[in-house]
Amino acid sequence: MSPSLPSTYTSLTLSSRPKASIIPGETFATNTTNPTPSPTSLRDGQILFQTLFLSLDPAMRGWLNDTRSYIKPVQIGEVMRGSSVGLVLASKSNKFAKGELVLTNSAGWTEYAVLDDKHCERVADTGEGKRRSAIDSLSVLGLTGLTAYFGILRIGEVKKGDFVVVSGAAGATGSVVGQIAKIKGATVVGIAGTDEKCRWLTETLGFDKALNYKDQDFAKKFREVTKPKLIDVYFDNVGGEILDLALSRAAPHARFVMCGGISQYNEAVQKGPRNYLMVVSMRIKMQGFIVFDFEKEYAAAREELAGWVKEGKLKRGETVVEGGLKEAEKALVGLYQGANTGKLLVEVAKLEDKAKL
Amino acid sequence: MSPSLPSTYTSLTLSSRPKASIIPGETFATNTTNPTPSPTSLRDGQILFQTLFLSLDPAMRGWLNDTRSYIKPVQIGEVMRGSSVGLVLASKSNKFAKGELVLTNSAGWTEYAVLDDKHCERVADTGEGKRRSAIDSLSVLGLTGLTAYFGILRIGEVKKGDFVVVSGAAGATGSVVGQIAKIKGATVVGIAGTDEKCRWLTETLGFDKALNYKDQDFAKKFREVTKPKLIDVYFDNVGGEILDLALSRAAPHARFVMCGGISQYNEAVQKGPRNYLMVVSMRIKMQGFIVFDFEKEYAAAREELAGWVKEGKLKRGETVVEGGLKEAEKALVGLYQGANTGKLLVEVAKLEDKAKL
Ligand SMILES: NC(=O)c1ccc[n+]([C@@H]2O[C@H](COP(=O)([O-])OP(=O)(O)OC[C@H]3O[C@@H](n4cnc5c(N)ncnc54)[C@H](OP(=O)(O)O)[C@@H]3O)[C@@H](O)[C@H]2O)c1
Ligand SMILES: NC(=O)c1ccc[n+]([C@@H]2O[C@H](COP(=O)([O-])OP(=O)(O)OC[C@H]3O[C@@H](n4cnc5c(N)ncnc54)[C@H](OP(=O)(O)O)[C@@H]3O)[C@@H](O)[C@H]2O)c1
């Protein structure tokens, strides 16, 4: 039997902007006494949403800074922003019916929310059950899958025979990037933070090689693996030393897909790539992108990604943190420490436990 | 009356690789006892070349490093490489006749050389006398003019209404870049190292604004001048702090033309742009290029550049160091200190003083 709707619910708000790393218990505040909205209070076009899964994303650290970026900062006191999937508990929308799964960027770190239907999207049924569909919609078919897709295909222009190196390779984005590059006929080397992740990349995902960047001999191994063939496409999730190594081993006219720089997100003073002048001498095209720019093409991209999953060419990977919303802050800190393999999600409520109205 | 050919001549060779800045008297060795080749020793296809002008180029510092680049390093003991214009003193080539002016990258820092005609190119007559043609062929119609041309047009894709910022703006390349951007209808701000250079940019060359990066309030002024309109195209000759400022003020989808980074060439440990993650958030295309890649299009580009010069739309600027080849080393050091306005050349021999055979 499902529990009935509680009278109060929990949300996490930004309480102070960290200078460097997120400080658990200080950066976010836990509010446990929000009065749960009643289904009868919904206005036309609104739904009552119960969060099932939160997506944790490296970019979140950036949203906590009060600086100019592609998106405005989270404000102090505001519920922490994020993508999530949830269940429609009640609906006054003619787009969504009670019991449906929806995807939104408007709920954030909260157990319940009242949402306008225009900020929600139906979760596609991937034919393997509701839980799997929910997870896929935040990972391989979600923003990280799409980021991988547009990044490696449109910015990296990967083609058969290319030599591709991916950093953050065992993460949500990187793991999909490498597999798409393989699908397109490239040779792919992944860089990740543990030997176990490296084995996953080569043995399960089919990467040609994988290197552990925490290995003492990493720089030496990196140079060996990029010899004699230099790097045609480097997909950067990480920045820092790995980016510098990649620059030093770039082929003439290499494409550097600048997706992110997680090694720098928690640094009070960020470090630029000291080998950046290879951009000139090797005529590198170093190009950044934000997945949102491709929004009009999401549907077509998801279809292709889902097709690859079905054919077994694209394997999924995710790390699901259990224990509810209160785990979100710790889990987010873990993201910057490599706690995840594949996409990192927090399971805020289990589908079986959905609230009864 | 012209002097007759001397029995020996001078050349400068690389004697030790500098770790940071060039050390006058140590980096290069002066060889004054090279026996002058006799005109009768020429083989078919060869010419006897007397250097008139040497081009001094920031890239020279890079050629002294033993690292992988777009061109192989100058070897210890080798005559210092460089572009030069000289006179054909004697010819066994059917491409060039005695008395003609030729352009070459094969002579380097030497007073005389025997050259294969396939490594030489005829200097175009710009209709204002031989000396002017020689200078133009190394500046506005030479590699720096071409670098400006392909960089701002092909890599920067400058178009009407763009807001363009150029660093190293009073130099050989930068001064042409800004003027081409103006011809194309952009608004142009130049950055240079003295107030006098800044006045030259706005008053003589028609830049919209110019800022002296040595000014105490430079960073503040830079932010003001890029407000509210952010930078669409940044043409970088310099790197360092100016590049970081430009990144911080880049418009979404800005193009960063990576031409060079002279502020870093003499540093033992180079510094990367710490704001490089703006490449991601602002979706910047940061692209390097080497002018040599456009070789097939030089002729057409020179024609267009020469046309603009004739119409008075493109003004020339150069600093000609007199005193002969022995001045080359000191002049090169001066290049990294901003001694020049426009193109820096060393006049190795005066046309009037050409050797008589
Ligand atoms: N441009 C866009 O539109 C867009 C969209 C989504 C994501 N992104 C970016 O893509 C990158 C990956 O995001 P994601 O969501 O797929 O996260 P993710 O890769 O699943 O998780 C982050 C991973 O980064 C690695 N990492 C953490 N600190 C590191 C360090 N100092 N050096 C090297 N690796 C480190 C960790 O794995 P290890 O064990 O290997 O260290 C961790 O698992 C991020 O930079 C993110 O900002 C960009
Ligand atoms: N990619 C290519 O194919 C290609 C071809 C040619 C040249 N380049 C590059 O283009 C750039 C300009 O070359 P150029 O031949 O036209 O030389 P240039 O600009 O005529 O001369 C160099 C100028 O740089 C400025 N400078 C020196 N040190 C500086 C510093 N620390 N910070 C800021 N400015 C500094 C000086 O002027 P101030 O008084 O303003 O400091 C100096 O006059 C160089 O980076 C060069 O390597 C690239």
Side-chain angles (χ1 to χ4, degrees), chain A residues 58 147 171-173 193 197 213 237-238 259-260 265 289 291 335-336 340:
Chain A
T147 299
T173 305
K197 290 185 183 188
Y213 69 88
N237 289 311
V238 162
C259 179
Y265 294 170
F289 74 105
V291 63
L335 187 65
Y336 302 104
N340 61 310

Side-chain angles (χ1 to χ4, degrees), chain A residues 68 248 250 283-284 286 288 293, chain B residues 68 248 250 283-284 286 293:
Chain A
R68 187 170 73 93
S248 77
R283 305 84 152 157
I284 296 170
M286 183 181 255
D293 291 341
Chain B
R68 187 170 72 93
S248 76
R283 305 82 152 157
I284 296 170
M286 183 182 256
D293 292 341

Side-chain angles (χ1 to χ4, degrees), chain B residues 84-86 101-105 119-123 137-138 302:
Chain B
S84 54
V85 162
L101 283 180
V102 297
L103 187 67
T104 186
N105 294 315
H119 297 134
C120 300
E121 208 181 324
R122 182 167 289 104
V123 167
S137 77
L138 288 176
R302 280 188 182 127

Side-chain angles (χ1 to χ4, degrees), chain A residues 277 280-281, chain B residues 55-60 70 143-144 147-148 167-175 191-194 197 212-214 235-239 242 258-267 288-292 334-344:
Chain A
L277 281 171
V280 182
S281 61
Chain B
S55 166
L56 293 191
D57 293 275
M60 287 173 159
Y70 65 98
L143 283 182
T144 52
T147 298
S167 66
T173 305
S175 61
I191 315 292
T194 68
K197 290 185 183 189
N212 180 348
Y213 69 89
K214 290 178 183 163
F235 193 105
D236 197 19
N237 289 312
V238 162
I242 307 176
M258 304 306 283
C259 178
I262 192 168
S263 75
Q264 302 303 306
Y265 295 171
N266 292 300
E267 301 298 324
F289 75 104
I290 295 291
V291 64
F292 302 155
L335 186 65
Y336 303 104
Q337 295 161 351
N340 59 310
T341 297
K343 177 70 196 174
L344 183 61

Side-chain angles (χ1 to χ4, degrees), chain A residues 68-70 230 239 248-250 253 258-259 270 272-274 276 278-284 286-288 293, chain B residues 68-70 230 239 248 250 253 258-259 270 272-274 276 278-284 286-288 293:
Chain A
R68 187 170 73 93
S69 190
Y70 64 99
L230 296 158
S248 77
R249 303 299 300 156
H253 302 283
M258 303 306 283
C259 179
Q270 307 196 326
R274 63 178 181 288
Y276 88 100
M278 292 296 282
V279 169
V280 182
S281 61
M282 292 298 131
R283 305 84 152 157
I284 296 170
M286 183 181 255
Q287 191 169 0
D293 291 341
Chain B
R68 187 170 72 93
S69 189
Y70 65 98
L230 297 159
S248 76
H253 302 285
M258 304 306 283
C259 178
Q270 308 197 327
R274 63 177 182 288
Y276 89 100
M278 293 296 282
V279 170
V280 182
S281 60
M282 291 299 130
R283 305 82 152 157
I284 296 170
M286 183 182 256
Q287 190 169 0
D293 292 341

